């Protein structure tokens, strides 16, 4: 008889400081006495959310971090004496760290564990007594399918060629054609878009999937798939007109909107003015709290520490492991664009007495402000002030997956009749009284997306969906950077990006365990 482990995950509407996520197995159930009641269904759904949180935030290489390192906005950085795994990601070159053939193994395992939970719940829906509440069943099914779609979208973008499982299975299956994966993603998101409640955002919605999140993610998936693979529709499931209709629904009906001040989206950029993790601009985010430990609780944001200044704190910015921001990004902003200082920590510009240059690899003088660890005015790491035992794995800032500015720019890109107005809204907030009109064109939209979503894990995928040639020529770099205080040559080859097709390395352990059923991506 198969055992099913239950996990408790907090999805309350309480503030992050009072929400505790437990990931220790608290009880054991079997198929004969579980998946019977709506409470059972809720517990299983919570396990799916927990799986997504762990896969995104607490296992292996944080995909929000690697997405930035692969782009033209960040270098691998880290410590001057560290191994070169992040350099291998940055340069699409495993020869930089030839022993790192399992860089993403923990990610792979966590993703498939989370998918297994989703597939189990979906397979058990018919045996649950819903007491005639069809709407509740549809809601739980929709949330689970959204989570599955999100997981698969992250995986198929990163690796391109992955096994597709839509039912609970431990079979050794070969990699599916990407179109097959995207078809499931599209079908799942369409179902969620049609079956989640239509209520508009009015107050706190803490981490739960909504109709508007499903519709927004569907737009993102459509744009990426049709761009990267050169298709006219999303795996035969969603047309351009349908994708636009979903996005227009979010604009018209969701209740979401832009905050007046861009900086208040980010805690380190606004401190006491921070709008909070559930403000009206956030369409969907992955929730974290500060209670991770080394005993199996993995409910914190483990990747955030990678963006912190190398081993150095200066209020309000906390210490970290030193992924650095390319100075080209700072220079891409106009001086009167409020997003520049809200997005980037400038060591010289903010007169920060950073004294760890000798410890830092690929020093540029710039770090990520949107996702920076933080300290209080006494220099104490915020996770510690909240009660965490660990400053590094206790980071708790949510990961904003989708926000309303993205909805507006996606609608403009998809050809909305209101494209110019949507485009203008985003730019007017950024420039305030210094705003000057700019025509809405495909190139201008992509350029605006770069400035709006810099350092949020979006830029690389926006480049890739314009084609490998465009992405590789934009990311390619030949410069010198300070490694341990010494000027050192840095090269990112366009040829490497082209050889890999912009995809990352499939873990060698998984290829070995599959007895060669899984095949490594080209270039790795």
């Amino acid at each position: 008889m198969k055992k099913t482990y239950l996990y408790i995950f907090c999805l309350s509407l309480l503030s992050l400081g009072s929400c505790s996520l437990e990931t220790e197995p608290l009880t054991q159930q079997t198929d004969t006495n579980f998946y019977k009641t709506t409470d059972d269904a809720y517990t299983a759904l919570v396990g799916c959310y927990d799986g997504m949180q762990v896969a995104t935030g607490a296992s292996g290489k944080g995909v929000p971090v690697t997405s930035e390192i692969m782009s033209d906005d960040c270098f691998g950085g880290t410590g001057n004496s560290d191994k070169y795994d992040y350099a291998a990601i940055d340069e699409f070159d495993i020869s930089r760290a030839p022993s790192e053939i399992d860089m993403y193994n923990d990610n792979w395992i966590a993703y498939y564990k989370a998918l297994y939970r989703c597939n189990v719940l979906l397979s058990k829906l018919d045996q649950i007594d819903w007491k005639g509440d069809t709407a509740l069943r549809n809601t739980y099914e929709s949330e689970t399918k959204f989570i599955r779609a999100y997981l698969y979208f992250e995986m198929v973008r990163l690796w391109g060629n992955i096994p597709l499982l839509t039912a609970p299975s431990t079979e050794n299956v070969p990699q599916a054609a990407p179109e097959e994966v995207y078809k499931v993603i599209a079908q799942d998101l369409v179902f969620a878009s049609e079956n989640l409640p239509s209520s508009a955002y009015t107050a706190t919605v803490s981490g739960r999937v909504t109709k508007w999140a499903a519709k927004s993610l569907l737009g993102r998936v459509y744009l990426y798939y049709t761009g990267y693979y050169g298709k006219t529709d999303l795996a035969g499931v969603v047309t351009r007109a349908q994708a636009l209709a979903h996005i227009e629904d979010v604009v018209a009906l969701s209740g979401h909107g832009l905050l007046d001040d861009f900086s208040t989206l980010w805690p380190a950029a606004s401190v006491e003015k921070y709008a909070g993790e559930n403000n009206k601009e956030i369409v969907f985010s992955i929730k974290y709290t500060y209670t991770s430990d080394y005993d199996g609780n993995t409910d914190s944001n483990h990747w955030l520490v990678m963006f912190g200044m190398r081993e150095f704190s200066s209020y309000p910015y906390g210490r970290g492991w030193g992924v650095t921001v390319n100075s080209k990004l700072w220079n891409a902003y106009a001086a009167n664009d409020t997003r520049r200082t809200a997005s980037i920590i400038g060591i010289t510009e903010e007169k920060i007495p950073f004294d760890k240059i000798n410890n830092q690899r690929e020093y540029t003088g710039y770090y990520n402000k949107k996702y920076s660890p933080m300290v209080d005015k006494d220099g104490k790491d915020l996770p510690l002030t909240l009660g965490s035992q660990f400053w590094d794995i206790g980071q708790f800032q949510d990961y904003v997956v989708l926000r309303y500015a993205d909805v507006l720019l996606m609608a403009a890109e998809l050809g909305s009749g209101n494209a110019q107005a949507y485009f203008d809204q985003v730019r007017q907030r950024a420039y305030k009284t210094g705003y000057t009109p700019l025509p809405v064109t495909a190139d201008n939209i992509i350029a605006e997306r770069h400035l709006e979503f810099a350092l949020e894990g979006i830029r690389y995928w926006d480049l890739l969906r314009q084609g490998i040639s465009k992405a590789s020529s934009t990311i390619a770099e030949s410069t010198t950077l300070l490694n341990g205080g010494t000027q050192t040559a840095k090269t990112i080859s366009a040829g490497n990006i082209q050889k890999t097709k912009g995809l990352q390395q499939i873990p060698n352990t998984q290829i070995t365990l599959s007895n060669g059923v899984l095949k490594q991506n080209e270039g790795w």
Side-chain angles (χ1 to χ4, degrees):
M1 184 176 294
K2 186 178 70 177
K3 292 181 179 179
T4 302
Y5 290 87
L6 307 187
Y7 294 80
I8 305 303
F9 182 84
C10 176
L11 290 171
S12 72
L13 304 185
L14 302 176
S15 69
L16 186 140
S18 59
C19 173
S20 176
L21 309 183
E22 294 289 334
T23 55
E24 285 294 290
L26 302 181
T27 186
Q28 290 187 11
Q29 301 283 356
T30 67
D31 285 349
T32 59
N33 62 10
F34 193 61
Y35 296 108
K36 298 295 186 184
T37 69
T38 54
D39 286 344
D40 294 341
Y42 177 78
T43 301
L45 174 61
V46 158
C48 296
Y49 276 98
D50 181 55
M52 175 176 63
Q53 179 210 51
V54 172
T56 302
S59 294
K61 296 286 191 288
V63 174
V65 176
T66 58
S67 296
E68 282 304 317
I69 291 172
M70 291 186 289
S71 81
D72 55 334
D73 285 343
C74 287
F75 295 113
T78 68
N80 192 47
S81 60
D82 286 350
K83 59 186 179 181
Y84 284 85
D85 49 345
Y86 284 98
I89 293 170
D90 191 16
E91 299 169 24
F92 295 81
D93 185 1
I94 194 58
S95 71
R96 296 285 279 127
S99 64
E100 297 299 310
I101 56 176
D102 266 336
M103 288 189 293
Y104 292 102
N105 195 51
D106 288 343
N107 300 77
W108 185 280
I109 292 169
Y111 275 122
Y112 276 105
K113 281 184 177 179
L115 286 168
Y116 185 83
R117 293 185 186 184
C118 294
N119 286 333
V120 168
L121 177 53
L122 291 171
S123 73
K124 301 296 185 182
L125 292 175
D126 287 341
Q127 71 183 48
I128 293 168
D129 181 6
W130 297 97
K131 300 187 183 300
D133 194 342
T134 303
L136 182 63
R137 176 194 164 125
N138 286 343
T139 295
Y140 281 24
E141 182 174 355
S142 296
E143 290 183 67
T144 306
K145 285 186 171 179
F146 175 98
I147 294 168
R148 183 170 71 175
Y150 178 80
L151 294 166
Y152 267 131
F153 184 45
E154 292 292 281
M155 295 168 69
V156 76
R157 286 194 305 180
L158 189 66
W159 291 303
N161 306 285
I162 57 174
L164 173 63
L165 299 168
T166 56
S169 174
T170 57
E171 295 291 322
N172 183 17
V173 299
Q175 290 138 301
E179 184 176 5
E180 296 176 36
V181 181
Y182 277 99
K183 185 173 183 178
V184 171
I185 294 170
Q187 290 170 337
D188 281 354
L189 292 176
V190 168
F191 183 91
S193 297
E194 293 174 346
N195 288 281
L196 282 163
S198 299
S199 52
Y201 169 90
T202 55
T204 300
V205 179
S206 184
R208 294 291 289 269
V209 173
T210 66
K211 177 185 289 285
W212 320 116
K215 287 175 175 286
S216 299
L217 186 57
L218 192 55
R220 178 176 289 178
V221 173
Y222 174 89
L223 286 169
Y224 183 79
Y225 176 78
T226 55
Y228 183 77
Y229 292 100
K231 304 291 186 179
T232 57
D233 61 32
L234 175 50
V237 178
V238 178
T239 66
R240 187 180 188 89
Q242 289 169 332
L244 175 58
H246 282 292
I247 296 297
E248 292 281 29
D249 280 350
V250 182
V251 175
L253 304 171
S254 72
H256 288 287
L258 297 179
L259 297 182
D260 292 334
D261 183 343
F262 179 85
S263 72
T264 60
L265 283 162
W266 316 107
S270 54
V271 190
E272 295 177 3
K273 297 190 301 175
Y274 177 44
E277 61 198 12
N278 302 308
N279 65 74
K280 69 178 181 179
E281 186 161 342
I282 297 176
V283 179
F284 182 69
S285 62
I286 294 176
K287 312 297 290 182
Y288 302 107
T289 190
Y290 55 85
T291 52
S292 277
D293 56 35
Y294 290 102
D295 297 319
N297 295 309
T298 51
D299 38 31
S300 301
N301 183 335
H302 292 195
W303 54 261
L304 186 76
V305 70
M306 296 304 305
F307 283 129
M309 296 184 292
R310 183 72 193 187
E311 302 173 19
F312 184 86
S313 299
S314 178
Y315 177 78
Y317 316 126
R319 53 182 163 159
W321 302 141
V323 168
T324 55
V325 172
N326 194 326
S327 61
K328 288 181 179 179
L329 178 60
W330 178 272
N331 295 330
Y333 288 95
N336 64 339
D337 189 334
T338 62
R339 295 171 297 195
R340 178 162 72 176
T341 55
S343 302
I344 306 170
I345 298 170
I347 298 298
T348 299
E349 291 79 3
E350 298 184 45
K351 298 181 172 58
I352 297 171
F354 183 75
D355 61 3
K356 300 295 183 181
I357 290 178
N358 288 345
N359 296 10
Q360 173 73 67
R361 182 181 294 154
E362 299 181 339
Y363 179 74
T364 63
Y366 298 101
Y367 294 94
N368 188 337
K369 188 179 290 189
K370 289 179 176 177
Y371 290 104
S372 171
M374 295 178 67
V375 295
D376 64 18
K377 291 182 179 179
D378 295 323
K380 187 174 183 180
D381 301 286
L382 285 192
L384 302 183
T385 68
L386 291 173
S388 174
Q389 301 176 62
F390 308 100
W391 70 272
D392 49 356
I393 63 168
Q395 297 297 330
F396 55 85
Q397 185 178 335
D398 293 349
Y399 177 50
V400 179
V401 176
L402 291 157
R403 54 186 179 87
Y404 187 69
D406 202 352
V407 172
L408 292 175
L409 293 180
M410 285 193 291
E413 187 172 349
L414 286 165
S416 169
N418 297 313
Q420 187 68 58
Y422 295 159
F423 183 65
D424 290 346
Q425 282 184 52
V426 175
R427 297 190 70 251
Q428 285 168 341
R429 177 177 67 173
Y431 292 96
K432 300 296 185 184
T433 57
Y435 165 76
T436 55
L438 191 67
V440 58
T441 65
D443 287 344
N444 285 345
I445 290 171
I446 289 293
E448 204 61 39
R449 290 182 63 83
H450 186 197
L451 302 175
E452 180 71 20
F453 306 118
L455 309 179
E456 296 180 45
I458 291 175
R459 169 64 171 174
Y460 178 67
W461 311 111
D462 274 353
L463 287 174
L464 212 53
R465 67 184 175 88
Q466 296 176 71
I468 296 295
S469 177
K470 173 69 174 179
S472 61
S473 62
T474 303
I475 297 168
E477 184 96 21
S478 183
T479 187
T480 57
L481 298 170
L482 286 173
N483 285 2
T486 301
Q487 289 286 352
T488 306
K490 169 72 173 182
T491 300
I492 301 174
S493 164
N496 285 347
I497 301 171
Q498 292 165 5
K499 281 191 299 184
T500 61
K501 300 179 182 176
L503 303 175
Q504 281 291 300
Q505 172 202 68
I506 291 173
N508 187 69
T509 289
Q510 299 304 318
I511 295 172
T512 301
L513 289 172
S514 76
N515 291 319
V517 171
L518 298 182
K519 307 300 180 185
Q520 184 59 269
N521 285 328
E522 293 178 38
W524 291 101

